[in-house]
């Protein structure tokens, strides 16, 4: 059986590998490097557009639980991400180049996958297809999609954080430490600010020039990924309780907690590049350089990448998709950010989920992910009627409530229910080995 997958990003590559592993012949279409997007920098498959972190691994965190589920269900991209890991305390941060190369090799060497480097501009509702073109889907494909689903266009904004070169930091002003000393080695570099420096920095952010949104981009900001200047505008202390919070970061020499900090996390395995954690911004590039130079450690910082902000397209999934993530009345499935599943892990997860549904259908079976699993609950959120539908990361609030649990052990009970359901569940029942 043949299937067309549009988009060689996180969701498309996961779906392609899963479907090919299950014996389907996959045509994977990726438009880069011929057609660029406003955020991708290379022609690599599965390129991470911003942070290099897949978030936490600890089982008490929502993303840790989610990754454990993906591991048990045999996610191909999660396994490759683990191999490309860079130190980041309890989080899964990766060397993006190494990861993309590994995914590229897995795709190109798979006997059942043919990779086409072309933009797909049309959709045939009767052709078995996965649309995984992501938040920066090309305009033509977006038009074809909206013509097909007849739904109004929806978008909001997302922003990416700057990356600085290690060599350019003033290391006298930096201390290495993980928050609350979690993890084996201190992986984060912290750039402290005293009270005066912090308030001057906030003031400069509030007064700074930002890039004007294009007319078609008039939309709303995603609350989970606000630009720093927007946070600064919401209150003088907002950043100090957000990405610049100093709690758990006592200076190893003075023993004092700084007034505020900017945390840097390694971008690559060589640790020559560092990402400014939570510092998404739409400030003009010259302004970024000028304002970030107010942070003592970043006085002479060289930027390997400036922060930026982009369109983020998604469909009104509850109106458009069946629980299998298939567009109603067609043979076209959707996966990734386009469905409103926000985040890298969610993109990989929905790629795996859509593949499992397609395989089940091809075998004449029905498959229902238990609602206590992360993907079961996330896809319910995506497809359950919701007049105020907005993209969302996976979080504990999506899982069914643990009725017999108090506030304190609520999450661990939800995790237990998830694991119990996974004991008897296989995404690909005929091939998955027992865990
Ligand atoms: C600017 C920005 C920053 C983000 N930062 C983060 C972050 O830090 N952390 C996080 O967890 N999530 C982040 N996200 C959200 C989301 O998790 C990522 O965008 C993620 O990569 C989505 O995966 P995907 O597979 O859906 O799309 P993508 O990974 O973007 O893959 C889609 C692919 O489809 C290709 N394509 C598009 N149109 C066509 C076409 N017509 N024909 C052929 N190919 C096509 C694209 O070139 C791309 O390779 C960010 C999103 C944006 C827009």
């Amino acid at each position: 059986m043949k299937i067309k997958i549009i988009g060689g990003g996180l969701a498309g590559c996961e779906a392609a590998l899963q479907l090919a592993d299950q014996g389907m012949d996959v045509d994977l279409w990726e438009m880069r490097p011929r057609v660029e997007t406003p955020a991708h920098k290379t022609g690599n498959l599965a390129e991470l557009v911003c942070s290099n972190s897949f978030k936490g691994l600890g089982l008490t965190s929502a993303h840790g639980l989610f990754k454990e589920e993906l591991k048990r269900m045999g996610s191909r991209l999660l396994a490759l991400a683990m191999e490309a890991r860079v130190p980041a305390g309890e989080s899964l941060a990766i060397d993006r180049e190494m990861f993309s190369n590994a995914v590229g090799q897995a795709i190109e060497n798979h006997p059942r996958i043919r990779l086409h480097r072309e933009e797909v501009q049309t959709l045939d509702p009767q052709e078995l297809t996965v649309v995984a073109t992501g938040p920066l889907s090309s305009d033509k494909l977006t038009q074809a999609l909206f013509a097909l689903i007849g739904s109004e266009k929806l978008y909001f904004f997302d922003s990416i954080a700057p990356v600085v070169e290690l060599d350019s930091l003033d290391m006298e002003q930096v201390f290495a430490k993980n928050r609350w000393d979690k993890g084996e080695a201190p992986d984060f570099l912290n750039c402290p600010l005293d009270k005066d420096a912090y308030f001057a920095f906030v003031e400069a952010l509030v007064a700074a020039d930002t890039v004007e949104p294009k007319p078609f981009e008039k939309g709303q900001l995603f609350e989970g990924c606000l630009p720093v200047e927007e946070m600064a505008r919401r209150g003088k202390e907002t950043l100090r309780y957000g990405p610049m919070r100093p709690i758990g970061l006592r200076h190893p020499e003075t023993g004092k907690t700084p007034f505020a900090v900017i945390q840097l996390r390694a971008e690559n395995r060589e640790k020559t590049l560092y990402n400014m954690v939570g510092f998404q911004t739409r400030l003009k590039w010259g302004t970024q350089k000028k304002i970030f130079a107010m942070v003592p450690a970043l006085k002479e910082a060289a930027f390997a990448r400036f922060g930026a902000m982009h369109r983020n397209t998604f469909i009104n999934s509850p109106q458009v998709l069946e629980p299998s993530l298939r567009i109603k009345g067609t043979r076209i499935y959707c996966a990734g950010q386009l469905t409103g599943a926000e985040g890298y892990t969610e993109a990989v997860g929905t790629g795996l989920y859509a593949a499992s549904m397609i395989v089940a259908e091809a075998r004449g079976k029905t498959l229902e992910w238990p609602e206590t699993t992360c993907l079961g609950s996330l896809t319910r959120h995506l497809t359950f009627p919701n007049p105020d539908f907005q993209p969302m990361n996976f979080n504990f609030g999506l899982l069914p409530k643990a009725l017999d649990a108090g506030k304190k052990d609520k999450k661990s009970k939800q995790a237990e229910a998830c694991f119990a359901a996974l004991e008897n569940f296989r995404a690909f029942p005929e091939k998955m080995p027992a865990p």
Side-chain angles (χ1 to χ4, degrees):
M1 188 179 251
K2 255 182 109 134
I3 185 157
K4 177 177 191 173
I5 298 184
I6 315 173
L10 295 171
C13 289
E14 176 73 25
L17 289 167
Q18 295 292 352
L19 289 166
D21 284 352
Q22 295 295 318
M24 284 198 168
D25 292 316
V26 176
D27 279 303
L28 175 62
W29 296 78
E30 170 52 55
M31 66 179 186
R32 288 177 296 111
R34 284 191 185 189
V35 181
E36 295 181 343
T37 80
H40 292 86
K41 294 278 176 287
T42 70
N44 295 345
L45 296 177
E47 178 183 333
L48 301 188
V49 279
C50 177
S51 158
N52 64 331
S53 171
F54 277 74
K55 299 193 180 150
L57 277 169
L59 291 183
T60 50
S61 77
H63 272 80
L65 181 66
F66 195 2
K67 281 195 272 298
E68 180 61 25
E69 176 174 313
L70 289 179
K71 187 173 129 202
R72 292 187 188 199
M73 293 300 114
S75 164
R76 294 290 308 273
L77 261 65
L78 178 65
L80 295 172
M82 292 300 287
E83 284 171 20
R85 209 173 160 189
V86 296
E90 290 204 321
S91 301
L92 172 56
I94 63 163
D95 183 316
R96 66 182 78 219
E97 192 75 25
M98 191 182 279
F99 172 67
S100 276
N101 288 342
V103 175
Q105 274 173 23
I107 295 279
E108 281 171 28
N109 294 337
H110 203 297
R112 288 197 178 273
I113 303 179
R114 277 205 311 158
L115 177 62
H116 308 263
R117 294 284 189 171
E118 294 273 347
E119 177 189 5
V120 177
Q121 302 186 343
T122 56
L123 290 170
D124 174 356
Q126 294 318 316
E127 185 178 12
L128 187 57
T129 306
V130 178
V131 183
T133 44
L136 304 162
S137 297
S138 73
D139 288 346
K140 291 212 167 100
L141 198 273
T142 307
Q143 279 162 20
L145 190 58
F146 287 123
L148 177 76
I149 61 184
S151 172
E152 59 174 339
K153 233 177 189 176
L154 301 169
Y155 21 62
F156 63 97
F157 286 111
D158 237 352
S159 38
I160 57 180
V163 172
V164 290
E165 293 173 18
L166 178 74
D167 284 355
S168 67
L169 304 180
D170 180 349
M171 294 309 280
E172 300 270 298
Q173 305 285 345
V174 173
F175 65 92
K177 195 179 184 67
N178 297 348
R179 205 177 293 281
W180 304 117
D181 291 318
K182 281 189 176 171
E184 281 165 23
D187 300 321
F188 288 84
L189 298 182
N190 302 284
C191 311
L193 289 92
D194 64 23
K195 193 172 173 183
D196 289 346
Y198 171 79
F199 285 120
F201 180 69
V202 169
E203 219 168 276
L205 282 176
V206 172
D209 288 342
T210 54
V211 179
E212 273 300 308
K214 298 188 185 83
F216 68 88
E217 291 178 330
K218 301 272 184 221
Q220 64 188 105
L221 296 165
F222 176 51
E223 285 291 324
C225 195
L226 284 179
V228 279
E229 60 277 12
E230 177 60 27
M231 281 189 248
R233 270 180 216 122
R234 292 185 177 191
K236 282 188 174 177
E237 296 275 355
T238 307
L239 281 169
R240 231 162 67 77
Y241 287 92
M244 295 182 76
R245 69 191 181 284
I247 187 160
L249 291 173
R250 268 179 210 275
H251 196 294
E253 279 161 27
T254 64
K256 289 194 179 143
T257 304
F259 191 75
V261 292
I262 293 180
Q263 284 207 294
L264 306 177
R265 180 184 54 226
E267 255 291 305
N268 55 351
R269 203 165 260 196
E270 295 76 27
K271 295 192 176 178
T272 51
L273 297 175
Y274 276 79
N275 193 302
M276 293 173 64
V277 179
F279 257 72
Q280 313 84 349
T281 174
R282 63 178 311 149
L283 295 176
K284 290 184 175 164
W285 288 5
T287 312
Q288 289 184 38
K289 202 167 166 45
K290 214 163 79 195
I291 294 185
F292 295 145
M294 295 172 77
V295 179
L298 304 180
K299 206 159 175 232
E300 306 283 336
F303 288 82
R305 186 183 71 198
F306 284 105
M309 215 159 161
H310 297 289
R311 177 167 62 104
N312 190 340
T313 306
F314 64 99
I315 58 174
N316 192 344
S317 293
Q319 276 183 21
V320 171
L321 299 180
E322 292 171 351
S324 63
L325 301 185
R326 184 171 47 184
I327 298 177
K328 290 173 186 166
T330 73
R331 297 186 75 210
I332 301 175
Y333 291 75
C334 293
Q337 176 91 23
L338 194 63
T339 64
E342 172 81 25
Y344 298 155
T345 313
E346 289 80 351
V348 171
T350 50
L352 185 147
Y353 178 94
S356 75
M357 291 302 191
I358 292 164
V359 169
E361 202 208 28
R363 291 177 180 157
K365 307 249 165 76
T366 47
L367 183 71
E368 202 174 326
W369 285 65
E371 62 175 351
T372 49
T373 61
C374 303
L375 275 170
S377 62
L378 176 64
T379 52
R380 263 176 198 71
H381 162 72
L382 297 178
T383 56
F384 197 76
N386 178 357
D388 301 316
F389 178 72
Q390 285 296 322
M392 196 179 269
N393 295 109
F394 172 70
N395 61 78
F396 278 109
L398 296 179
L399 287 168
K401 280 193 184 122
L403 292 175
D404 54 342
K407 214 173 168 187
K408 234 170 135 195
D409 60 350
K410 198 177 90 181
K411 290 180 185 168
S412 57
K413 292 275 182 203
Q414 285 174 308
E416 274 170 30
C418 174
F419 290 138
L422 289 174
E423 284 289 307
N424 302 313
F425 180 76
R426 301 287 173 271
F428 303 97
E430 279 156 41
K431 277 207 169 177
M432 286 288 291

